[in-house]
């Protein structure tokens, strides 16, 4: 599982069926890979409001050809379950968690605070 965390002073996501926004907090771009498990989605420490957006393209491979390959991403049905579990874990810490629409085309806007961007990768429940 990969998460791109961006500290924001505000962020917003809009799709055909969803519109959510946060003020001060973190925008999370969440990718669920072929080898991702529920252990990778366990959350240990977070502070602030969260806007969590599923983004399988984090697992793009650009090693060959003209187009990126996405075979490293988990299937949508399995990825959705882990993504929802991840968001439930965040919410269990009394964090205000808002999400985008899984699998939909979304417009995402943000004001990066810092800027601060951190990439987390977890395998077998351990941050890499």
């Amino acid at each position: 599982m990969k998460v791109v965390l961006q500290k924001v002073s505000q962020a917003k996501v809009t799709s055909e069926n969803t519109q959510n926004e946060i003020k001060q907090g973190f925008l999370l771009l969440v990718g669920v890979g072929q080898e991702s498990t529920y252990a990778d989605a366990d959350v240990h420490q977070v502070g602030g409001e969260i806007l969590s957006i599923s983004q399988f393209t984090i697992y793009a491979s650009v090693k060959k050809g003209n187009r990126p390959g996405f075979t490293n991403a988990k299937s949508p049905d399995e990825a959705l379950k882990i993504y929802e579990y991840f968001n439930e874990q965040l919410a269990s810490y009394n964090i205000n968690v808002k999400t985008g629409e899984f699998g939909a085309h979304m417009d995402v806007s943000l004001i990066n605070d810092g800027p601060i961007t951190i990439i987390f990768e977890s395998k077998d429940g351990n941050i890499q």
Side-chain angles (χ1 to χ4, degrees):
M1 182 170 208
K2 293 182 184 180
V3 176
V4 177
L5 174 148
Q6 293 182 300
K7 184 178 179 195
V8 297
S9 56
Q10 68 182 50
K12 179 178 178 180
V13 62
T14 305
S15 67
E16 187 174 321
N17 299 310
T18 303
Q19 181 172 327
N20 273 314
E21 70 180 287
I22 63 170
K23 298 297 179 194
Q24 194 73 31
F26 300 97
L27 171 66
L28 305 181
L29 303 175
V30 181
V32 180
Q34 280 290 347
E35 297 179 10
S36 298
T37 66
Y38 287 94
D40 296 320
D42 285 330
V43 177
H44 302 288
Q45 182 179 8
V46 175
E49 201 171 21
I50 299 288
L51 180 57
S52 175
I53 299 173
S54 173
Q55 189 172 2
F56 76 95
T57 58
I58 290 173
Y59 277 95
S61 173
V62 293
K63 288 185 178 180
K64 59 182 177 178
N66 294 331
R67 297 188 201 168
F70 298 102
T71 58
N72 292 329
K74 204 174 242 342
S75 71
D77 290 341
E78 294 174 19
L80 175 58
K81 292 176 187 174
I82 293 175
Y83 172 68
E84 288 176 338
Y85 176 79
F86 174 74
N87 292 325
E88 290 168 6
Q89 292 300 302
L90 290 169
S92 74
Y93 287 91
N94 293 320
I95 298 168
N96 184 18
V97 178
K98 297 180 181 177
T99 64
E101 182 180 354
F102 186 91
H105 179 272
M106 294 174 274
D107 294 322
V108 180
S109 62
L110 67 119
I111 298 177
N112 198 309
D113 184 12
I116 296 174
T117 302
I118 301 170
I119 300 172
F120 294 92
E121 185 167 5
S122 177
K123 291 184 182 174
D124 301 321
N126 298 306
I127 293 180
Q128 304 294 305

